[in-house]
């Protein structure tokens, strides 16, 4: 099974941080994981708040655990709170259902990892995550919807 490389992870993070500065975002933190939710790379901008690693990781973990962006996981949490409370508990609290976590796909649409971005609004965090993935030459769920893979663009 293909996995995101360290170079791709660095490219995602660096592009995300550059874009965050271009957009004058609050300080952000970015984590990239492989498909097993093992950290490949992480950076936290100066001035980032406490617990940013845990939040970024929770967003990436949420995307991997439920096979969709963490913003869709947030919608699921709002629609089915008992179900999501169970999953959050079962995961040992690792799932953070808020926008900013996205699956990373290769050119064939295979999941090779996940990215979690935190620090600004959840909508901006998600925009930054997508930017970083694409800047590294990789694909988001939206980019792969036409490939016929199981891609979730809505809950």
């Amino acid at each position: 099974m293909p996995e995101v490389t360290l170079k791709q992870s660095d490219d995602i993070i660096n592009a995300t941080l550059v874009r965050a500065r271009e957009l004058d975002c609050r300080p952000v933190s970015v984590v990239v994981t492989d498909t097993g939710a093992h950290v490949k790379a992480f950076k936290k901008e100066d001035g980032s708040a406490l617990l940013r690693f845990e939040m970024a990781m929770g967003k990436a973990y949420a995307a991997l655990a439920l096979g969709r962006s963490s913003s869709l996981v947030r919608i699921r949490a709002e629609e089915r709170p008992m179900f999501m409370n169970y999953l959050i508990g079962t995961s040992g609290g690792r799932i953070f259902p808020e926008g900013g976590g996205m699956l990373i796909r290769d050119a064939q649409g295979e999941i090779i990892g996940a990215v979690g971005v935190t620090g600004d609004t959840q909508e901006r965090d998600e925009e930054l995550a997508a930017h970083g993935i694409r800047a590294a030459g990789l694909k988001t769920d939206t980019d792969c919807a036409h490939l016929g893979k199981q891609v979730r663009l809505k809950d």
Side-chain angles (χ1 to χ4, degrees):
M1 172 176 245
E3 295 283 346
V4 65
T5 67
L6 180 58
K7 175 160 183 359
Q8 290 168 327
S9 300
D10 284 339
D11 290 347
I12 290 167
I13 290 171
N14 291 333
T16 300
L17 295 176
V18 166
R19 184 69 176 149
R21 290 308 99 234
E22 290 172 354
L23 296 173
D24 197 29
C25 295
R26 291 180 290 220
V28 298
S29 299
V30 187
V31 68
V32 175
T33 73
D34 64 16
T35 58
H38 304 106
V39 176
K40 291 294 286 194
F42 171 73
K43 284 189 180 179
K44 177 180 173 180
E45 285 189 303
D46 295 342
S48 292
L50 187 65
L51 296 178
R52 288 299 177 185
F53 171 78
E54 291 80 1
M55 287 186 261
M57 188 63 198
K59 292 177 180 191
Y61 190 90
L64 287 167
L66 276 83
R68 64 191 76 186
S69 73
S70 63
S71 62
L72 292 178
V73 175
R74 180 186 52 77
I75 292 168
R76 174 63 59 96
E78 291 168 357
E79 293 174 346
R80 300 185 61 201
M82 284 181 50
F83 173 75
M84 283 305 301
N85 285 339
Y86 174 78
L87 289 182
I88 292 167
T90 300
S91 75
R94 293 179 70 187
I95 293 172
F96 185 42
E98 185 169 313
M102 299 188 87
L103 297 172
I104 304 166
R105 295 179 181 268
D106 64 15
Q108 293 73 43
E110 296 298 321
I111 298 169
I112 61 171
V115 61
V117 179
T118 188
D120 208 276
T121 66
Q122 62 183 333
E123 294 81 13
R124 184 53 55 94
D125 290 347
E126 186 142 322
E127 175 188 336
L128 291 170
H131 175 83
I133 291 167
R134 291 178 179 133
L138 298 166
K139 308 258 184 227
T140 67
D141 286 348
T142 301
D143 301 327
C144 294
H146 69 284
L147 295 177
K149 301 284 181 187
Q150 184 163 340
V151 176
R152 296 195 183 232
L153 299 179
K154 57 185 178 178
D155 193 37

